[in-house]
Amino acid sequence: MSSNKRRKLDSNGKGLVTSKSPAPAPLSAFAARQQLWGAAVSRASSVDAATNAVKPEAAPELPARSETPSTRPPAAGRRSKRQTPEEPIVSPSADAKPVQQAVEEESSDKPDKGTSNPTTPGPEPSGRLVRQHSSFRPSKNNPQKKSGGRLVLTTREAERLVVIGSFGIRIREGEATIAGAILTPADGVQWIHAPLCHAVPVIRTAEATVLELQPHPAARGLRQLADLNPVFARLWEESPREEESRSKPGQTFQIIYTSDDVPKKTVLQELVSPAEWNKKLAGLVASKRTATPVIFLCGPKSAGKSTFGRLLVNRLMTDRGGSKNKPWSTVMFLDLDPGQPEYAPPGVVSLSRLTTPNLSPSFCHPSLSPAQGLVRAHAIASVTPALDPAHFLECALNLFSRYQKSPDAKCPLVINTPGWIQGTGLDLLTGLITSIHPTEVIYMSQDGPEETVSGLRSACNAPTTAKPIPFSTLPSQQSEGSSSSRTPLHLRTMQTMSYFHLRPSLSPNEPLLPAWDPTPLAEPAPELLSDAVNGTVMALVRLESRASLKGPCGSSTQRPQSKNKQQQHHLKLQTKT
C-alpha cells in the first residue's frame, strides 16, 4: 500500500500526518466532524474573551450601527447554523432601550418637549409602556394652588390636558377648546362632569393661555348616589377606599398626566373626533347664514349621534371665527331618542333651548326646568318608538311645530333621532324628513345598510321638497362601551335615579347648576298606594284639551260614565302613560 493511502486525520485536528507519525486510532466521519466543530468553538471563545478584555475607551471605535445576535458577524472561522446547548445566547438588553423609547413616543399623542420634570410621571425602569395623556408638564410653580382647591395653569405653547372628576373651568387669558366648545375669558366658568363611564373630553389650549380649574359644588351629592346603587361607583378620581374619597368635598377632580394616574381597575377613554367629523363641523359652522340651519342626525345605535350632536351644539354656540360667523347665543335641541335622551329621563322626547355648552354626560343633567331651557316634552312611556310608532311621530311633529311658532325659530335646530333604522324605524325617519324639511341630513355610518341609505336619500329628494336636501354620511365613532362595563340599561338606570334625586342648585352664584340629594326615596304609605299606581310613577301628564284623549274611551260622543268608572279610566290612563 502506498504512503498516500495510509494517511489519516490527526486527532487534534491540525492537519494531515505522514506514515512516520504514530498510527492514530481510526475515526468515523461523524467523530471527525465533531472534533472540527469543537475546535471552531474554542477559537471563537478565545476571540470573544479577547474582545471583552478591551478597555471602555476603545468603544467609540466600534461601528455605530445596532446589531442583534441574528445579524452579528461571526468572530472567527465558519460557524454552523446549529447551536449546541452549551453555547450561551446573548440577550440584546443594550438594544432594547431605544426600541422601547420609540414605541412610547409613537404611542403618545404629542412628543415630550424639553427635559422631563421630576414631578412628571414617566416610564418605569422595567420598560413598561406608559401612555401620555396630558402634554402639559407641571413644575414647582405651575400649576399654582389657590384657596378653595383652585388650580391656575399657565401654558406657553399649545398643550393638551386630561382631567377626570367634576370641576369648573375658567379661561383667564387666551383660548381653549373642550368637547367642541371654544372657550374664552368672555364665557366665564363652565361646569363639567367627566366620569370614567363615558369618553373623557380633552382640554386643548392655545399659546399663552391661563386657565383656572375649580372644585364642583355639586360633586359630593352626585358621588353619594353610589351609596344607593353600585352602578354609580368608581366613576371619578377615587381611591380604592371610595368612602374616604367621598368624604373630602374639596377634592373633586384630578389631572391625568399618564396612564399611571388612572384609577386602578378602570379604563380611561378620551373623547375622539375623527377627521371627517371635524371637517363637517367646520363646514356647518362656516356656511353662510342664508337660512337657519336645521340639522337632522340619524344612524344606527352607538354610532355617535349624541356625541356629534353635542359637539355641533357647542361649536355653533362658541365659534367666533370671522365677523360673518358670529356664535349663536341660543341653539335649539330636539331630542327624539327616548332610549338615551340628553335632557330628560328615559321614555321622554323633548325640545330644549340651550344657552351654554353641553360639557357633561346626560345623567348629569337628567332634566331641565323651564327656567333652565325646557320648552316642551312628551312622555311616550317607552324607551323605543316601536310600542306606538304613530304616537311617537305625532309627538315629534308637535315638538317641531312648537319650535316653528316660538320666538327662537330663527335659532339653529339640532335633531337627534333613535337608532331604529330599518323597517318601521326607517319609515319614521323618512316621514320626519319629509315633514320637517331640514337643511341637511347626516347619517352617522358609512357601512349601510344600503336599504336604509337609499331610503333616506329618496326622502331627501322627494317631490314634496322645494329643493333637494343635502345628504351626507360620516364614519361611526368607536364605541364608548370599551371604557366601561355599563350597558345601556345601566346608563338608563343612572339617568332615572339622577332624575328622581335632582334638587335645586346649592350654589347661589349658579342658580341653574343642578345638584343632587342622596337621601333614599321613601316608599308611600299604604293609604296612598292607589294614588301611586302600584307604587310606580310612570308619568304625570297635563292635558291642554280633551281632544287629546283619542279613541273609544276619550271620544266626545261616548255616553257619560259613572263617577266610579271615570276614576277607573283615569287610573288606567295613568298606567298606560
Side-chain angles (χ1 to χ4, degrees):
M1 181 180 294
S2 64
S3 60
N4 292 335
K5 293 182 179 180
R6 291 194 301 266
R7 293 177 180 176
K8 294 184 180 292
L9 285 172
D10 184 16
S11 61
N12 295 328
K14 295 182 179 180
L16 300 175
V17 296
T18 62
S19 59
K20 297 181 181 181
S21 302
L27 293 175
S28 64
F30 177 79
R33 287 196 298 269
Q34 288 291 94
Q35 288 186 356
L36 290 175
W37 170 248
V41 171
S42 300
R43 287 194 299 269
S45 301
S46 301
V47 174
D48 290 340
T51 304
N52 293 333
V54 178
K55 296 182 179 180
E57 289 77 8
E61 299 178 1
L62 297 177
R65 64 188 181 92
S66 174
E67 297 173 352
T68 62
S70 60
T71 59
R72 181 180 297 174
R78 183 176 180 178
R79 302 287 299 272
S80 171
K81 295 182 180 179
R82 183 182 61 181
Q83 289 182 332
T84 61
E86 294 79 13
E87 185 176 4
I89 301 177
V90 182
S91 176
S93 58
D95 298 334
K97 184 176 180 180
V99 174
Q100 182 66 25
Q101 291 178 352
V103 172
E104 292 173 1
E105 292 177 358
E106 183 179 358
S107 64
S108 62
D109 293 335
K110 188 174 182 180
D112 298 341
K113 302 189 294 293
T115 305
S116 61
N117 191 282
T119 60
T120 304
E124 294 186 357
S126 61
R128 181 174 58 86
L129 183 62
V130 177
R131 181 181 178 184
Q132 195 78 21
H133 287 284
S134 299
S135 63
F136 172 79
R137 297 285 181 161
S139 61
K140 185 177 181 180
N141 298 321
N142 191 19
Q144 297 180 1
K145 296 183 179 180
K146 302 294 184 180
S147 60
R150 296 176 296 127
L151 290 180
V152 177
L153 295 84
T154 303
T155 62
R156 295 182 179 180
E157 301 179 2
E159 300 282 5
R160 72 193 317 269
L161 198 67
V162 176
V163 183
I164 63 174
S166 305
F167 59 97
I169 181 173
R170 181 169 72 92
I171 307 301
R172 290 187 174 185
E173 299 178 13
E175 182 178 279
T177 62
I178 178 171
I182 305 174
L183 304 180
T184 65
D187 294 311
V189 180
Q190 300 296 322
W191 298 103
I192 303 171
H193 292 285
L196 291 170
C197 60
H198 288 70
V200 177
V202 180
I203 302 173
R204 293 177 171 85
T205 68
E207 297 181 357
T209 297
V210 179
L211 61 89
E212 177 182 318
L213 301 178
Q214 304 178 8
H216 201 297
R220 181 176 174 82
L222 181 59
R223 297 186 185 197
Q224 288 178 333
L225 294 181
D227 297 331
L228 305 179
N229 194 327
V231 75
F232 284 94
R234 302 199 64 81
L235 298 181
W236 319 99
E237 72 287 356
E238 295 171 339
S239 62
R241 301 186 62 180
E242 298 179 3
E243 293 79 6
E244 293 184 2
S245 178
R246 291 198 298 271
S247 65
K248 300 177 181 179
Q251 182 65 30
T252 67
F253 63 90
Q254 176 186 354
I255 300 176
I256 302 298
Y257 296 104
T258 69
S259 54
D260 286 339
D261 300 324
V262 180
K264 303 300 181 182
K265 299 182 181 180
T266 59
V267 177
L268 188 152
Q269 179 180 352
E270 297 180 3
L271 178 61
V272 177
S273 178
E276 295 87 346
W277 287 24
N278 296 332
K279 183 177 180 181
K280 173 58 69 172
L281 290 171
L284 293 174
V285 174
S287 60
K288 295 181 180 180
R289 296 186 178 180
T290 55
T292 302
V294 177
I295 312 301
F296 189 91
L297 303 178
C298 55
K301 296 179 180 179
S302 303
K305 300 183 296 296
S306 298
T307 302
F308 185 83
R310 188 181 305 122
L311 297 176
L312 178 58
V313 168
N314 295 343
R315 190 72 176 270
L316 290 170
M317 196 175 297
T318 60
D319 192 288
R320 299 171 176 83
S323 58
K324 295 183 179 181
N325 295 309
K326 294 181 180 180
W328 299 88
S329 59
T330 300
V331 176
M332 305 297 290
F333 188 75
L334 178 55
D335 193 353
L336 302 180
D337 186 359
Q340 294 180 337
E342 187 68 35
Y343 295 103
V348 175
V349 292
S350 62
L351 175 67
S352 301
R353 182 178 184 270
L354 308 179
T355 57
T356 57
N358 179 7
L359 303 176
S360 300
S362 56
F363 77 90
C364 298
H365 43 248
S367 177
L368 295 179
S369 65
Q372 294 171 318
L374 178 63
V375 178
R376 195 179 183 89
H378 292 301
I380 66 172
S382 175
V383 296
T384 172
L387 185 64
D388 192 344
H391 176 64
F392 170 81
L393 184 60
E394 187 175 4
C395 291
L397 296 180
N398 178 266
L399 294 175
F400 178 71
S401 176
R402 181 62 178 268
Y403 160 76
Q404 289 180 309
K405 298 176 182 179
S406 68
D408 300 312
K410 295 183 179 180
C411 299
L413 176 67
V414 177
I415 305 173
N416 187 37
T417 59
W420 191 20
I421 60 172
Q422 292 181 304
T424 306
L426 177 59
D427 295 338
L428 288 176
L429 293 177
T430 55
L432 289 171
I433 292 174
T434 55
S435 300
I436 293 176
H437 302 291
T439 58
E440 183 162 352
V441 175
I442 301 177
Y443 185 70
M444 301 298 300
S445 176
Q446 293 180 336
D447 300 324
E450 183 60 31
E451 177 185 359
T452 299
V453 176
S454 177
L456 294 174
R457 289 186 184 273
S458 299
C460 292
N461 297 315
T464 56
T465 59
K467 60 180 180 178
I469 301 173
F471 178 84
S472 59
T473 62
L474 290 177
S476 301
Q477 71 168 1
Q478 295 182 353
S479 175
E480 294 184 1
S482 60
S483 64
S484 172
S485 60
R486 290 163 179 82
T487 64
L489 177 60
H490 292 148
L491 297 178
R492 282 194 290 269
T493 300
M494 296 170 66
Q495 184 125 342
T496 303
M497 285 191 60
S498 177
Y499 170 79
F500 281 109
H501 288 272
L502 202 62
R503 66 176 179 178
S505 175
L506 298 177
S507 175
N509 298 327
E510 298 286 345
L512 302 182
L513 189 65
W516 289 265
D517 184 356
T519 304
L521 299 177
E523 292 291 336
E527 60 271 17
L528 299 177
L529 286 179
S530 59
D531 297 331
V533 190
N534 295 328
T536 301
V537 178
M538 301 190 69
L540 181 63
V541 180
R542 180 174 62 89
L543 300 180
E544 298 177 349
S545 171
R546 291 194 60 86
S548 301
L549 299 178
K550 297 181 179 180
C553 294
S555 175
S556 59
T557 60
Q558 185 181 7
R559 290 181 300 176
Q561 298 177 340
S562 64
K563 183 177 181 181
N564 186 30
K565 290 184 177 181
Q566 288 180 356
Q567 292 177 348
Q568 292 178 357
H569 168 64
H570 179 64
L571 291 177
K572 184 178 180 181
L573 178 62
Q574 280 190 335
T575 304
K576 288 184 177 181
T577 305

